[in-house]
Amino acid sequence: MIRVADLSKTFGRQAVLRGLTLEVATGEIMVVIGRSGGGKSVLLKHMIGLLHPDAGTITVDGTEITRLRGSELDGVRERYGVVFQGGALFDSMSVFDNVAFPLRERKRRAGVGEILDRVEEKLAQVGLTGMGHKNPAEISGGMRKRVAIARALVTEPEIVFFDEPTTGLDPILVNTIHHLIVELHRKFRFTAVMVSHEIPEIFQIADRVAMLHEGVIVETGAADAIQGSANPIVQQFIRGDVEAAGRVS
Amino acid sequence: MSGPVDDSGASPYPLPLRLVESLGRIGVDAVQAIGRFGRFLLEAVTLTFVPPFKVARFVDRVHFIGFRSLTIVILTGSFTGMVLGLQVFLTLSRFGSEAYLGPAVALSLIRELGPVLCAVFVTGLAGSALTAEIGIMKITEQIDALTVMALSPTRYLVVPAIVAGLITFPLMTAIFDVVGIFGGYLVGVELLGLSQGTYFGEMQTFVDWQDLMTGFWKSLSFGILVPWVCTYKGFHCGHGAEGVARATTEAVVLSSVLILVWDYFLGSVLP
C-alpha cells in the first residue's frame, strides 16, 4: 500500500501541494485526475522520490520513503517501474537496448539469453515484435509510449507509475494504450498509479479515481462514484464545463 | 537567508538596507553555487573508485571527446605551429638569432599553447556537445528515468566523461604539440631556409623533461576541468531548447575562462 499523508510542496511562492492525502491499495489501478498544472506530476515525482516534500510523508508498504536517500531510496525504486510523459527513451539506443537497459544495469544482472528472451517477450506484449532494431526517433509517438511501457515492465515491478501515458495521442491510440495497461495489469497484478486527464476513457480502466484540485485531493472513489459525484469541482472537470470553471476555481 | 517579506512581495527594508540585502543574497547564491559545483565533482570522483565501472560508456566517451576532436586538433595544431614558425622567425631574425626558432616554437607549444589551445578547441567541439547532450537528456526526463531505475546519473554520465577527459586531453595535447612543431618546421625550414639540423638540434638542447611535465600536468588538469564544467552545466540547464542553448554557451565560456585562469595559476607554481 502507498500512503501519502499531508504532503505539501511549494516552488518559490507557489504552493503546488497543500497537505495532500491519498491512499493506493496494493494491486489496484488508481488514477489521479485534475486540471493541467494542478500538481499531478509533482505528486507523482514525490512518490517516485524525484522530489522531496516541504512537509508530509509518503509510505510504501510501511517504509517512509520521504526520509530515505541514496542507496536506501534506490532499494525502494528497484520495485518501481515508471512510464514518463514523453517516454524518456534513451535517444542513443535502439528500442531493444532501451527495453534491455534496466536488466543490463541492475545490481543482479541478467544473462544475455535471459535478457534477449525477456525483451522480446515484453516487445511482443506491447505489440512491437520485430521493432527492436529501430531507434526511438524512427518510430511514432504511440510506439514510443509502448516501448516506454515495455521498459517500465521488463523488470516485473510491483508498483508502476504512469505520468500521462496517452497525452498527445489520437483517440484510437489512447484506447489502445489503456487496454494494453489493463491487460498487462491483469497479467502481472502490479499496483498502478496513473496521472491522466483523459476523460471519460480513464473511467473504463481505473479501479479508483482521485480528483486533485488546488493541491489537495477533493474526492476519491470508484470510477462510477466519481462520475456520479455531487462535488461541483469534480463535475466541472468531468464535463469540461468552461463556465463553471470560473465559479469553482 | 532572505529578509522578511510582506504579502506584496516587496522588501520592507529602506533602500540602503535593501541594497545590502541584495548584495548578501548574491553572495549567498554564489557560495551555494560554488558549493554545488564542488559537490558535483566530489561525487563524481568518489564514484570513479566505486564499482560497478561503466567500461563501455567510458570507451564511448573516449571516442566522443577524443576521436571526434582529432581532426580539429590536427588542423589547429599545424596552423598554430606554422604561425608561430613565421612570427618567431621574423622576430628572431631582427636579432640574428634564427637558430633558436626550434626551441622557441617547441617551448611555446609544449609549455603553454599546446595544452591551452587544445583544451579550448576541444571545449568548443566536444565540451559543448557534452553539455547539449546531457541538457537534452535532462529536459526529456532521461536523467529522471536513470534515477528511478536506481542508477546513478553521475556514475553513468559524469564519471566516464571525466575519466575519458583524463586520458584524451594529454594525448590530444601531445598530438597538437607534435603537429605544431612540424608546422613550425614547414615554415622555418622548408619555406624560410633554416637548416633542419639547427631547428631540431637546438630544440633538443633547450627542451627538457620538466617542460614536457609542465604541459602534461596542465593538459591533465584541463582533462578534468572541461568535462566537469560541461557535464555540470548540462545537469543544471534550464527548461526547453532555450535552457539547453544557454547552458551550452555558459559551459563553453566558463570552461574557456577557467582554462586560462588555471593555466596562469599552474604556470606560476610549476617550474
Side-chain angles (χ1 to χ4, degrees):
Chain A
M1 169 176 285
I2 305 170
R3 189 190 298 268
V4 181
D6 299 323
L7 202 70
S8 296
K9 183 70 177 179
T10 301
F11 294 106
R13 294 175 188 278
Q14 189 189 1
V16 179
L17 303 179
R18 307 163 187 244
L20 182 148
T21 296
L22 177 70
E23 282 188 5
V24 183
T26 303
E28 74 170 342
I29 297 180
M30 163 65 83
V31 180
V32 180
I33 58 172
R35 294 178 67 176
S36 296
K40 303 187 297 294
S41 293
V42 172
L43 168 63
L44 206 70
K45 285 187 174 178
H46 278 90
M47 293 168 104
I48 57 183
L50 287 175
L51 289 175
H52 298 290
D54 298 333
T57 58
I58 298 171
T59 312
V60 177
D61 294 336
T63 306
E64 194 188 318
I65 65 160
T66 32
R67 286 185 182 183
L68 303 181
R69 297 287 186 278
S71 58
E72 286 181 324
L73 186 55
D74 283 345
V76 177
R77 282 175 177 150
E78 283 180 356
R79 300 168 57 197
Y80 287 176
V82 181
V83 179
F84 287 92
Q85 200 170 338
L89 300 179
F90 301 119
D91 314 317
S92 55
M93 297 180 194
S94 67
V95 164
F96 181 94
D97 288 336
N98 262 286
V99 180
F101 189 78
L103 295 174
R104 287 178 178 148
E105 298 292 335
R106 277 201 315 185
K107 281 176 192 161
R108 192 183 53 77
R109 196 172 166 170
V112 177
E114 186 190 347
I115 290 173
L116 186 70
D117 292 345
R118 284 173 70 173
V119 173
E120 293 295 350
E121 181 196 349
K122 280 288 168 286
L123 287 177
Q125 282 168 355
V126 297
L128 292 175
T129 305
M131 303 293 276
H133 65 284
K134 297 222 175 212
N135 279 326
E138 295 173 322
I139 58 177
S140 68
M143 284 178 174
R144 276 201 291 276
K145 300 272 186 186
R146 283 189 274 165
V147 176
I149 292 171
R151 186 177 69 180
L153 296 180
V154 77
T155 54
E156 295 176 1
E158 297 163 45
I159 304 164
V160 185
F161 298 92
F162 298 89
D163 187 3
E164 300 188 16
T166 51
T167 298
L169 301 181
D170 65 59
I172 295 171
L173 270 176
V174 169
N175 278 325
T176 308
I177 298 285
H178 282 166
H179 282 123
L180 178 64
I181 291 169
V182 170
E183 196 181 305
L184 293 169
H185 178 259
R186 216 170 272 150
K187 195 166 182 180
F188 299 107
R189 304 308 307 172
F190 49 78
T191 303
V193 181
M194 184 191 296
V195 158
S196 179
H197 42 213
E198 295 289 357
I199 303 290
E201 290 86 350
I202 58 98
F203 293 120
Q204 295 165 6
I205 66 164
D207 292 319
R208 287 197 307 143
V209 177
M211 171 78 199
L212 195 159
H213 181 74
E214 293 188 350
V216 291
I217 298 291
V218 291
E219 190 152 347
T220 310
D224 291 345
I226 291 290
Q227 280 178 293
S229 168
N231 188 324
I233 295 168
V234 177
Q235 283 306 319
Q236 177 240 317
F237 181 75
I238 292 173
R239 290 179 189 161
D241 189 348
V242 180
E243 281 184 17
R247 294 197 298 275
V248 295
S249 61
Chain B
M1 288 294 174
S2 58
V5 174
D6 64 18
D7 289 342
S8 66
S11 173
Y13 297 132
L15 183 64
L17 279 179
R18 281 212 298 272
L19 288 173
V20 174
E21 186 192 16
S22 301
L23 278 174
R25 191 174 295 141
I26 290 167
V28 169
D29 287 348
V31 170
Q32 282 179 340
I34 292 167
R36 276 197 300 272
F37 194 43
R39 208 173 61 178
F40 184 80
L41 179 67
L42 192 68
E43 189 189 351
V45 170
T46 309
L47 288 174
T48 303
F49 300 101
V50 180
F53 304 113
K54 303 292 171 198
V55 180
R57 190 75 189 158
F58 160 72
V59 173
D60 177 68
R61 293 296 92 173
V62 169
H63 179 265
F64 189 90
I65 299 172
F67 186 74
R68 282 169 50 172
S69 307
L70 210 52
T71 314
I72 197 82
V73 164
I74 291 170
L75 196 70
T76 52
S78 59
F79 278 99
T80 304
M82 286 162 77
V83 169
L84 262 180
L86 182 65
Q87 294 303 326
V88 173
F89 185 90
L90 293 176
T91 308
L92 289 174
S93 62
R94 292 185 188 181
F95 310 104
S97 312
E98 299 93 328
Y100 295 115
L101 178 68
V105 168
L107 285 172
S108 306
L109 282 167
I110 291 168
R111 290 185 64 95
E112 205 63 51
L113 292 178
V116 171
L117 289 182
C118 184
V120 170
F121 290 132
V122 175
T123 300
L125 196 81
S128 58
L130 204 59
T131 306
E133 185 188 55
I134 294 176
I136 288 168
M137 286 185 77
K138 190 194 171 193
I139 64 170
T140 55
E141 296 181 307
Q142 293 176 50
I143 290 179
D144 285 346
L146 283 172
T147 307
V148 298
M149 285 176 201
L151 301 169
S152 161
T154 305
R155 184 193 297 283
Y156 196 75
L157 298 170
V158 184
V159 173
I162 288 178
V163 179
L166 275 172
I167 306 281
T168 54
F169 272 63
L171 281 173
M172 284 192 296
T173 302
I175 292 168
F176 189 97
D177 291 348
V178 169
V179 171
I181 286 168
F182 275 96
Y185 165 85
L186 273 180
V187 172
V189 177
E190 300 294 336
L191 220 68
L192 300 171
L194 189 73
S195 90
Q196 183 179 332
T198 308
Y199 186 80
F200 287 113
E202 292 297 325
M203 194 185 292
Q204 200 174 5
T205 309
F206 283 98
V207 178
D208 59 26
W209 189 246
Q210 223 165 43
D211 299 315
L212 291 172
M213 288 312 291
T214 299
F216 173 73
W217 289 122
K218 283 183 179 180
S219 62
L220 200 69
S221 57
F222 298 151
I224 298 176
L225 183 74
V226 172
W228 172 27
V229 172
C230 293
T231 51
Y232 177 85
K233 284 291 175 187
F235 264 81
H236 296 85
C237 77
H239 300 288
E242 194 189 339
V244 176
R246 192 180 298 131
T248 308
T249 308
E250 284 174 2
V252 172
V253 171
L254 185 62
S255 295
S256 304
V257 170
L258 287 177
I259 285 167
L260 293 175
V261 171
W262 189 244
D263 178 61
Y264 175 76
F265 174 75
L266 277 184
S268 308
V269 296
L270 289 174

